[in-house]
Amino acid sequence: MTRYPPHDEAIQAMHEELGIPDSYAATCKLDFQPECESLVETESDVFGRQPLLAEEAYSAWRTMQAQALADGITLQIVSAYRSAEYQKELLWKKLDRGEDIEAILKVNAAPGYSEHHSGCALDVTSPGYKPLEEEFENSPAFLWLCNHAEDFGFKLSFPKCNAKGMSYEPWHWMYRPGKREKGKSE
């Protein structure tokens, strides 16, 4: 993946509008994420919204979710695909509340750099746990994901002290095509 697409004027304009430093693309440790163009509807998320995912990611999710349920674990979608425009609006909401852009970028990727753009990232939870809260790491669902998600092609994107410099997110899992079964080559 490219670090920054110089031809993507829309992303550049969003960064300028949000006050994201010009150096972001060169200094962030995140890859540029082109927006998925072939999305499918999933089951409703925990808020009753209609999330979207790339078809292969959704298929892998459904298989993993079914195995987790067979093991007594309920996995629920909190959020999935996000457009760059939607990401921009998330950052605007935080800026409007008075948060500093540098602090925001430690928690939220800038438009163009969120794994959610790919259609392969999911934020998940389980009944009894607040969505998007670190307490999810104490859930049986998180333990199950740590032990089994890789078998289905999913990986925790932002573990504690991650090399990407993002805040710890035990709820954020990314499907990586070609890594669906252990032992298979990429």
Side-chain angles (χ1 to χ4, degrees):
M1 299 196 133
T2 57
R3 299 279 304 156
Y4 189 68
H7 61 278
D8 198 328
E9 294 175 10
I11 295 296
Q12 290 177 5
M14 286 183 203
H15 286 207
E16 289 173 17
E17 183 181 340
L18 291 163
I20 294 171
D22 290 338
S23 61
Y24 182 82
T27 59
C28 81
K29 297 175 184 169
L30 303 170
D31 290 321
F32 181 78
Q33 300 287 333
E35 288 190 33
C36 182
E37 295 180 5
S38 57
L39 297 162
V40 296
E41 292 183 348
T42 70
E43 72 267 16
S44 295
D45 66 21
V46 296
F47 303 111
R49 302 174 300 194
Q50 178 60 72
L52 303 169
L53 279 173
E55 188 172 359
E56 186 178 356
Y58 184 50
S59 178
W61 163 255
R62 294 294 292 166
T63 302
M64 180 172 74
Q65 188 182 43
Q67 183 58 57
L69 191 57
D71 293 343
I73 301 294
T74 300
L75 297 176
Q76 301 168 301
I77 296 175
V78 175
S79 65
Y81 168 78
R82 286 187 211 143
S83 68
E85 185 67 32
Y86 187 92
Q87 192 75 10
K88 179 184 88 169
E89 294 307 316
L90 287 177
L91 272 63
W92 263 124
K93 287 178 185 176
K94 291 185 173 194
L95 287 168
D96 286 346
R97 289 194 306 251
E99 294 182 43
D100 176 69
I101 192 66
E102 295 294 334
I104 294 169
L105 293 173
K106 290 179 183 174
V107 178
N108 295 102
Y113 293 85
S114 172
E115 289 182 342
H116 288 283
H117 302 337
S118 72
C120 292
L122 283 164
D123 291 336
V124 301
T125 194
S126 192
Y129 293 86
K130 292 178 186 173
L132 309 176
E133 294 290 335
E134 203 171 299
E135 71 178 30
F136 180 67
E137 74 177 353
N138 299 316
S139 71
F142 180 71
L143 180 60
W144 189 93
L145 286 164
C146 288
N147 290 323
H148 302 286
E150 194 172 318
D151 297 343
F152 302 92
F154 286 89
K155 186 175 180 182
L156 180 65
S157 293
F158 306 115
K160 289 181 180 177
C161 303
N162 62 79
K164 295 180 181 185
M166 295 297 287
S167 294
Y168 173 49
E169 293 187 353
W171 59 84
H172 184 94
W173 296 80
M174 175 81 166
Y175 176 70
R176 304 223 185 325
K179 295 190 175 190
R180 192 162 182 172
E181 296 177 37
K182 277 188 177 176
K184 284 202 173 184
S185 61
E186 293 182 18

